[in-house]
Amino acid sequence: MPTLLLRNIHTLATMDGQRREIRNAGIFIRDGWIQQVAETEQLPQTADEIVDLRGHMVLPGLINAHHHLFQTLDRACQCNAGFVDWLRKLYPRWRLLRPPIVQMAVEVGLTEMALSGCTTVADHNYLWPNGLTAKHLVDTARSVGLRFHLGHGFQNISNKDGGFAPDELAESSEVALSRCAQSIEEFHDPSRGSHLQVFVAPSSIRSVTPDLLRRSADLARSMDVGFHMHLAETAGETVFTREKFGLSPVEAAHSFGCLEGKSWIAHGVHLSDSDQRLLVQTGCGVCHCPSSNMRVGAGHAPIRTYRKAGVKVGLGVDGAASNDGANLLTEARLAMLLARIAPGEVPPLFSPRNALEVATLGSAALLRRDDIGAIEVGRAADLFSINLSRPELLGANDAIAAALLCAVNHVDNSWVHGRQIVKDRALVNGNSQNLVERVQDWKTEVDAALLLREV
Ligand SMILES: [Zn+2]
């Protein structure tokens, strides 16, 4: 079994049970698993591969608990629209997507995630246009090398029923459930150190009927996989569920059986005290997506309050249509800053280390994984390094705090299960051939098609 020794690390943030931070640290890894974490001189001096990280800080790999990779090529689109208008205007673009285009979007999105220190991505894919299958997404994710949690999504309410999506992008309940079950059977690997998992992911309470929400939550529990949906994202959603069900979004989802089991929701911006209690009672966590919430004017999730109430909170970037940058490190920075301006906040303020915890252990808890999220013996070696001598970090007094407080756009190196995926700020596998040209060709094609439709 191959061994890897990372040594002479300037500062290591382990995020272990004691939240140890070690100077001149080293990590000894065997077959992708962390065997020892200590000062460099206390570790073995030989290994199959030795990497000297003098002048670098090392942190646990960040975990993105909510994304829509198919949206990656829709950045800076509908820039000033509010939530409903934004969604309605994006669907005409998404109905044009084809499998090779989505694969291109996934490749670009995962590359961006890897370069920002992310080592695990949960992708909520709720559209399957023009023959797209789970295999298309899985194949591309494997080629980039991050751990991949595929949310097999669906919706069964479309324009004809008052929903947001074109009719051809909605599925019948039977088709949605059987395709989702098929993805789980084919791809879900529940083992420790798994690189590929599948979870059940209805789009939202406004685009999926209560019956399908109930049945899909049952499916997730019966197959012992995660369950995930957008919930309590906008004030309009609360108006909708109050009018239709006489309940808040969280209460309604609870009444459909969506919170029990391995469930977590995206956003949770609008949660009452009793909603928070329901989430605590059921163990359902919240994936915080601050950029997206601000981008579409959805509001501000007070995550410090949630955490104090006992709600599990993780972090996600959301899709590129509502967060034009898929950078999990800067997203953690934003989460930290935003938590500081929540109403009633007083010092000591939400700290950089709190934000790091949300982006690592917090997200790992949402994905029900105890094998990633920290650098400690027995966990997988998912981690990244940042060189402290770069201009944006010069003068920093606290290396770990600086990773979150300073605007660090790229990591220098990153490993997933002990395998290096980012080296010297570039993806080891590199981008597939002509990626930039292919993206530009697609943008030209989609612009022309939309122009034709408008005419
Ligand atoms: Zn989303």
Side-chain angles (χ1 to χ4, degrees):
M1 289 191 284
T3 53
L4 167 66
L5 174 63
L6 308 180
R7 67 182 182 191
N8 297 325
I9 298 164
H10 179 283
T11 308
L12 169 66
T14 63
M15 297 305 290
D16 66 6
Q18 293 79 46
R19 298 293 187 270
R20 282 185 305 154
E21 294 181 3
I22 307 170
R23 298 293 289 265
N24 189 26
I27 307 166
F28 187 75
I29 297 155
R30 186 187 299 277
D31 202 26
W33 295 97
I34 297 169
Q35 303 274 300
Q36 294 182 59
V37 181
E39 290 180 15
T40 294
E41 52 268 30
Q42 296 171 338
L43 293 177
Q45 297 303 304
T46 57
D48 296 317
E49 184 185 358
I50 297 176
V51 180
D52 194 294
L53 290 171
R54 205 174 301 264
H56 286 233
M57 66 173 114
V58 168
L59 291 84
L62 307 180
I63 300 169
N64 176 16
H66 182 71
H67 204 349
H68 309 290
L69 287 162
F70 75 86
Q71 298 179 1
T72 300
L73 306 181
D74 293 307
R75 304 176 207 267
C77 187
Q78 297 301 325
C79 303
N80 304 318
F83 179 77
V84 171
D85 215 22
W86 164 86
L87 195 52
R88 285 192 193 283
K89 287 179 174 168
L90 280 161
Y91 270 115
R93 307 180 79 85
W94 294 339
R95 71 198 300 179
L96 297 172
L97 290 169
R98 304 185 303 273
I101 307 302
V102 176
Q103 287 185 302
M104 199 160 61
V106 170
E107 184 178 347
V108 174
L110 290 178
T111 299
E112 195 180 357
M113 297 296 328
L115 293 174
S116 71
C118 177
T119 50
T120 298
V121 173
D123 182 34
H124 182 175
N125 192 85
Y126 54 85
L127 298 181
W128 304 94
N130 302 309
L132 182 71
T133 65
K135 186 172 187 310
H136 290 118
L137 308 176
V138 166
D139 285 348
T140 307
R142 280 180 172 143
S143 74
V144 179
L146 275 74
R147 289 186 205 277
F148 191 56
H149 283 228
L150 170 63
H152 190 114
F154 43 80
Q155 48 194 331
N156 67 344
I157 300 176
S158 62
N159 289 159
K160 68 176 167 42
D161 306 310
F164 301 121
D167 296 338
E168 73 267 26
L169 290 178
E171 296 170 288
S172 72
S173 300
E174 278 63 34
V175 168
L177 290 169
S178 83
R179 291 190 69 208
C180 187
Q182 193 183 337
S183 283
I184 296 166
E185 280 165 9
E186 195 170 350
F187 298 113
H188 181 64
D189 170 12
S191 66
R192 273 180 71 76
S194 167
H195 286 261
L196 179 60
Q197 298 203 359
V198 180
F199 56 95
V200 179
S203 178
S204 74
I205 206 160
R206 280 200 272 188
S207 57
V208 179
T209 57
D211 176 64
L212 182 53
L213 287 172
R214 268 192 208 96
R215 292 169 68 190
S216 55
D218 286 345
L219 175 70
R221 281 190 293 273
S222 70
M223 298 189 81
D224 196 25
V225 298
F227 180 90
H228 179 60
M229 62 188 290
H230 296 101
L231 197 69
E233 180 173 3
T234 64
E237 184 183 330
T238 305
V239 170
F240 172 86
T241 60
R242 287 257 173 240
E243 282 178 358
K244 196 162 174 72
F245 309 116
L247 299 167
S248 74
V250 165
E251 290 165 344
H254 183 50
S255 75
F256 307 144
C258 296
L259 305 186
E260 283 96 355
K262 297 178 174 178
S263 298
W264 79 104
I265 60 171
H267 303 301
V269 173
H270 303 276
L271 301 180
S272 66
D273 290 350
S274 65
D275 288 337
Q276 292 170 46
R277 283 195 292 275
L278 261 182
L279 293 176
V280 174
Q281 283 163 21
T282 55
C284 178
V286 172
C287 180
H288 182 38
C289 303
S291 291
S292 171
N293 298 153
M294 288 190 274
R295 165 72 147 87
V296 299
H300 174 184
I303 60 167
R304 197 175 200 195
T305 303
Y306 295 172
R307 278 163 51 100
K308 277 182 188 160
V311 178
K312 292 187 285 193
V313 178
L315 189 69
V317 296
D318 209 351
S322 63
N323 175 1
D324 310 77
N327 185 315
L328 201 53
L329 194 54
T330 55
E331 196 72 21
R333 177 176 189 258
L334 198 61
M336 173 192 64
L337 295 173
L338 192 61
R340 293 177 174 217
I341 61 163
E345 282 298 308
V346 291
L349 299 172
F350 196 76
S351 73
R353 288 166 175 83
N354 291 149
L356 181 62
E357 184 177 275
V358 167
T360 53
L361 293 167
S363 289
L366 300 187
L367 303 185
R368 267 67 175 182
R369 295 198 65 151
D370 60 6
D371 54 346
I372 55 176
I375 298 172
E376 63 181 340
V377 174
R379 296 208 192 217
D382 290 12
L383 43 94
F384 65 90
S385 85
I386 297 172
N387 190 335
L388 282 155
S389 66
R390 58 171 74 180
E392 64 265 37
L393 287 170
L394 288 179
N397 293 291
D398 176 336
I400 304 306
L404 280 297
L405 282 165
C406 304
V408 180
N409 276 322
H410 289 103
V411 303
D412 288 273
N413 302 288
S414 174
W415 288 263
V416 174
H417 213 88
R419 177 172 157 242
Q420 191 157 13
I421 56 165
V422 175
K423 186 173 187 181
D424 300 331
R425 300 196 194 191
L427 210 62
V428 171
N429 285 347
N431 291 326
S432 63
Q433 226 179 357
N434 306 324
L435 186 64
V436 175
E437 289 85 350
R438 285 189 288 129
V439 170
Q440 285 164 345
D441 286 349
W442 163 247
K443 295 308 285 181
T444 308
E445 183 185 330
V446 75
D447 287 348
L450 290 171
L451 196 64
L452 206 62
R453 192 158 294 170
E454 279 170 22
V455 172

